[in-house]
Amino acid sequence: MYGLLSAAIGVDFSAFVDNLKNIFANFYWTDAVDIVILGLLFYFVLSFFKSRKAGTLVVGIFLCIALYAIAIIFNLTGVQYILSGVFQIGALAIIIIFQPEIRELLEAIGSGSIKGIRGFGESANNKQAQYKAIDNICKAVYVMAAEKTGALIVIERTTQLEEIIHTGITINADVSDYLIRNIFFNKAPLHDGAMVIEGNRIKAAACILPLPKHTYVENELGTRHRAAVGLSEISDAVIIVVSEETGTISVAKESELKRDFTEDSLRKYLVKELFRDKHNQENN
């Protein structure tokens, strides 16, 4: 058969097959795992920096490395001398320049590695209490939207929000639509800032959220929307925003802001997102 193929395509096919066998004979499964891990690592790092200001610096570093390789190949001694000196202090310079991005990258890796292990509401006593909490959130949001009462509600998922909680006032109470509405009443002392909910418990109110660093937010949107997008950049939390000007209900998640929710569509969205991992486990 190899003879017929060789005659048809003009190539010594049997020798080609022997070469492939020799390659795979010396190829261990650990090499494949090594390649896959390195590929995923480079993809994750490049994807992370792609939409950030530091992305242009990363491109510059790769260009310098490519230029250094060319200098070695063609024996460009002057270029080699200069770039070798740059690379000697490059590691320290990268740490200093990329300090905020490196921290965000490590936080993203840490939160992503445990995503799905600890889902929304695992500290709750039962599933009924979890769905009740979602229902109370949606009822309160609907009433506040109708009354144009501004609100900012953070629902914690796998990313720990202890630093955010510590910026506010501890509540530690069951999720209640009346309590949510009372906290965000515009004459109440805690109405400014964000409410953080963990499971079926309101952990804190009047919390301070970070503003977005990498995501564009429309100019007509206010501070609440910007703060919601800002937190969604550094966590996997679901953040609900009620506009004080228009009464529009919006949700920020993973640097994306979706708008014009109704009570029913918000309820469906929260059930889908907050119980997604749990539903997948049950279906499997």
Side-chain angles (χ1 to χ4, degrees):
M1 183 180 68
Y2 290 160
L4 293 175
L5 289 171
S6 299
I9 63 177
V11 177
D12 189 352
F13 196 75
S14 60
F16 176 73
V17 172
D18 290 337
N19 289 332
L20 284 179
K21 289 181 179 179
N22 291 332
I23 292 173
F24 284 104
N26 298 320
F27 189 82
Y28 297 97
W29 68 269
T30 52
D31 297 324
V33 173
D34 194 23
I35 293 172
V36 170
I37 292 175
L38 285 175
L40 291 174
L41 181 60
F42 279 115
Y43 173 78
F44 186 87
V45 172
L46 290 176
S47 298
F48 181 84
F49 284 114
K50 182 178 179 181
S51 61
R52 289 159 167 78
K53 294 180 180 179
T56 55
L57 294 177
V58 173
V59 174
I61 291 173
F62 278 110
L63 289 177
C64 288
I65 294 173
L67 183 60
Y68 188 66
I70 293 173
I72 293 175
I73 293 173
F74 293 99
N75 195 27
L76 306 177
T77 56
V79 177
Q80 290 184 53
Y81 177 78
I82 294 175
L83 289 181
S84 62
V86 171
F87 290 148
Q88 287 179 4
I89 61 172
L92 179 60
I94 288 174
I95 293 175
I96 295 174
I97 295 173
F98 288 168
Q99 187 272 331
E101 284 78 11
I102 290 174
R103 178 177 177 178
E104 290 182 33
L105 176 61
L106 294 176
E107 289 177 347
I109 293 174
S111 63
S113 64
I114 62 172
K115 185 175 290 186
I117 297 177
R118 186 178 68 87
F120 166 81
E122 287 188 355
S123 61
N125 293 328
N126 51 58
K127 185 181 294 187
Q128 183 178 0
Q130 299 165 18
Y131 279 101
K132 183 179 179 181
I134 291 178
D135 191 56
N136 281 325
I137 293 171
C138 294
K139 288 180 180 178
V141 167
Y142 174 74
V143 173
M144 290 188 294
E147 298 174 348
K148 294 186 178 181
T149 299
L152 184 58
I153 302 173
V154 178
I155 303 177
E156 183 183 275
R157 297 177 70 193
T158 63
T159 305
Q160 296 288 322
L161 300 177
E162 291 300 321
E163 291 184 5
I164 300 297
I165 292 173
H166 289 158
T167 64
I169 304 299
T170 301
I171 301 296
N172 198 23
D174 289 336
V175 175
S176 163
D177 60 322
Y178 291 106
L179 179 56
I180 294 174
R181 288 159 53 193
N182 281 333
I183 289 175
F184 285 111
F185 178 62
N186 59 11
K187 302 297 183 181
L190 300 180
H191 77 280
D192 280 332
M195 171 186 294
V196 178
I197 295 176
E198 177 187 346
N200 65 338
R201 304 284 291 179
I202 299 174
K203 301 296 292 184
C207 298
I208 300 174
L209 305 188
L211 295 177
K213 295 181 179 179
H214 314 293
T215 306
Y216 172 76
V217 181
E218 297 176 10
N219 293 329
E220 63 267 20
L221 298 179
T223 305
R224 288 190 179 91
H225 294 85
R226 297 180 185 277
V229 174
L231 181 60
S232 73
E233 286 185 342
I234 61 173
S235 75
D236 65 348
V238 175
I239 306 103
I240 304 169
V241 186
V242 179
S243 172
E244 189 173 2
E245 289 75 21
T246 64
T248 302
I249 302 172
S250 306
V251 176
K253 184 177 77 70
E254 296 177 355
S255 302
E256 183 180 4
L257 185 67
K258 296 183 179 181
R259 306 177 67 185
D260 298 319
F261 281 85
T262 64
E263 181 181 2
D264 290 336
S265 63
L266 178 62
R267 183 179 290 104
K268 292 178 181 178
Y269 181 86
L270 293 181
V271 169
K272 176 184 175 182
E273 292 297 327
L274 301 177
F275 290 95
R276 178 176 53 190
D277 298 325
K278 182 171 291 187
H279 286 167
N280 291 337
Q281 294 172 0
E282 291 175 353
N283 293 332
N284 293 334

